[in-house]
Amino acid sequence: MNIPYETMLSEFARVLNKYGFSPERAHDAAEIFAQNSLCGVYSHGLNRFPRVIEYLKNGEIDPTVEAECVASFGAIERWDGHRGFGPLNARGAMARAIELARSFGVGVVALGNNNHWMRGGTYGWQAADAGCIGICWSNSWPIMPAWGALDSRLGNNPVVFAVPRSNGQHIMVDCALSQFSYGKLESTRLAGKQLPVAGGYDENGELTTDPAVIERTQRVLPIGYWKGSSLSILLDMIGTILTDGNSVAKAGTFDAEVGLTQIMIAIDPAKFQSAEITDEIINAICADVHDSTPIKEGDRVRCPGEGDWKRRQENLANGIPVVEEKWNEVLAM
């Protein structure tokens, strides 16, 4: 079942308006969810939308609150999200980081006490659309065991890197520090599929590709084993230091995944060179990667983000594939 982008955007906006968003903010928030699905990130688009509505119903998100700057030191600012709507606060923080980068060459906004930002790639792409390099990350609930541990004390703390190309076909990596995010586990389970590689542990402590089993044990596998575990700890530390917000451990004491810590960094390469030179650098590196010999004959080795661009064009033309159960849930709201 495929749904036109504008239809999905309209339905999301309708529901958000019903649950306390002004018409303008409802449209802006709906746009983030719809564009996530448009790019093929269904786990943080349609599939996550009903859960966000539950947060609104339960009063865990205030749809009227906006983030504010509480301290400023040249190119770096500290913001308080006041537990408002995470994606809009995050987008505002990255917009400010871009403004700072225009003045200083680099801009950093440390956003504390914010709610879930949905897809981190939204803000990397936002920076790249503005011609900036984007770097951002968020902490999360403790949902991943540290390397060598049985119980989950770490966040999967997604991190994003994006570089801009003037034609809009930016290069971007957006990855959780678990082998698969919980959103990806859910979307794979709903599709009735197995993970392509082991993503966590079963009840016997054995690695498994079954997303439902990993959701049940809540023992996801860190990327790179001990390396992903270490990165998760350091990103949590840096974010908490800069925001004076909530660490993963503190966020884990809340009843929902709220009050998170996020960092937005924008770097303006135009301070050093023209967009044409930046394009030449990126295109040369991409061309070298594309020239790799694929393992499977007929395959093409890609750079990160190229699949997103392709899916976006396909979904604009053909409609966005949806899980019918989730779409009907939205229509009934």
Side-chain angles (χ1 to χ4, degrees):
M1 182 178 183
N2 289 25
I3 302 298
Y5 170 76
E6 292 296 337
T7 301
M8 181 174 286
L9 175 63
S10 175
E11 285 297 318
F12 285 165
R14 174 187 64 80
V15 176
L16 290 168
N17 187 218
K18 176 180 177 181
Y19 285 102
F21 285 79
S22 68
E24 181 180 358
R25 282 174 59 81
H27 175 273
D28 291 347
E31 191 173 54
I32 293 172
F33 283 101
Q35 288 188 356
N36 288 349
S37 280
L38 185 67
C39 292
V41 189
Y42 312 113
S43 59
H44 290 77
L46 170 63
N47 293 0
R48 185 63 67 93
F49 190 76
R51 190 183 308 177
V52 171
I53 298 305
E54 285 302 312
Y55 285 167
L56 287 165
K57 286 181 179 178
N58 296 336
E60 289 155 351
I61 297 174
D62 186 335
T64 65
V65 167
E66 297 185 36
E68 68 169 335
C69 179
V70 294
S72 179
F73 306 95
I76 184 169
E77 294 183 351
R78 176 181 283 178
W79 284 28
D80 187 335
H82 296 298
R83 293 203 188 181
F85 188 62
L88 290 183
N89 280 348
R91 191 164 75 170
M94 180 55 86
R96 179 56 180 159
I98 292 165
E99 287 181 0
L100 292 170
R102 294 279 187 257
S103 298
F104 299 101
V106 62
V108 181
V109 174
L111 174 61
N113 199 30
N114 194 35
N115 289 331
H116 199 300
W117 67 356
M118 292 301 112
R119 179 198 181 204
T122 297
Y123 318 107
W125 207 269
Q126 176 186 356
D129 274 343
C132 288
I133 295 166
I135 304 171
C136 52
W137 71 88
S138 175
N139 67 6
S140 76
W141 257 357
I143 52 177
M144 182 172 74
W147 184 247
L150 285 172
D151 55 331
S152 294
R153 300 294 181 97
L154 306 186
N156 66 352
N157 300 356
V159 61
V160 177
F161 297 88
V163 294
R165 289 205 282 193
S166 58
N167 63 2
Q169 297 183 37
H170 312 309
I171 303 300
M172 182 182 73
V173 62
D174 172 7
C175 62
L177 294 184
S178 55
Q179 185 65 45
F180 298 96
S181 69
Y182 276 86
K184 183 64 174 179
L185 294 178
E186 179 188 45
S187 63
T188 303
R189 171 176 52 79
L190 289 171
K193 296 179 179 179
Q194 293 284 298
L195 300 168
V197 297
Y201 298 91
D202 63 17
E203 290 86 352
N204 299 317
E206 301 293 333
L207 289 172
T208 178
T209 60
D210 189 329
V213 170
I214 300 168
E215 286 177 312
R216 190 161 61 245
T217 64
Q218 295 191 332
R219 291 194 63 206
V220 293
L221 182 69
I223 62 171
Y225 302 102
W226 52 88
K227 295 179 182 180
S229 175
S230 300
L231 283 171
S232 173
I233 294 168
L234 266 294
L235 290 178
D236 186 36
M237 286 181 178
I238 295 168
T240 306
I241 289 167
L242 292 180
T243 61
D244 192 29
N246 299 314
S247 65
V248 168
K250 182 67 178 294
T253 66
F254 304 147
D255 292 334
E257 195 172 21
V258 295
L260 302 179
T261 290
Q262 291 143 10
I263 303 296
M264 306 290 175
I265 302 172
I267 304 169
D268 186 2
K271 298 298 182 187
F272 295 118
Q273 64 211 19
S274 67
E276 289 75 19
I277 292 177
T278 297
D279 281 347
E280 288 175 9
I281 293 169
I282 296 169
N283 292 341
I285 295 172
C286 285
D288 187 56
V289 172
H290 294 157
D291 283 343
S292 301
T293 303
I295 294 173
K296 294 182 180 179
E297 188 175 351
D299 279 0
R300 178 175 180 267
V301 181
R302 300 180 309 195
C303 288
E306 292 179 326
D308 281 13
W309 178 264
K310 180 182 177 183
R311 281 188 295 271
R312 180 185 179 91
Q313 305 313 308
E314 290 173 348
N315 288 347
L316 276 173
N318 305 319
I320 301 170
V322 301
V323 176
E324 195 166 349
E325 168 192 344
K326 293 287 186 182
W327 180 242
N328 288 337
E329 194 174 344
V330 173
L331 294 180
M333 287 177 182

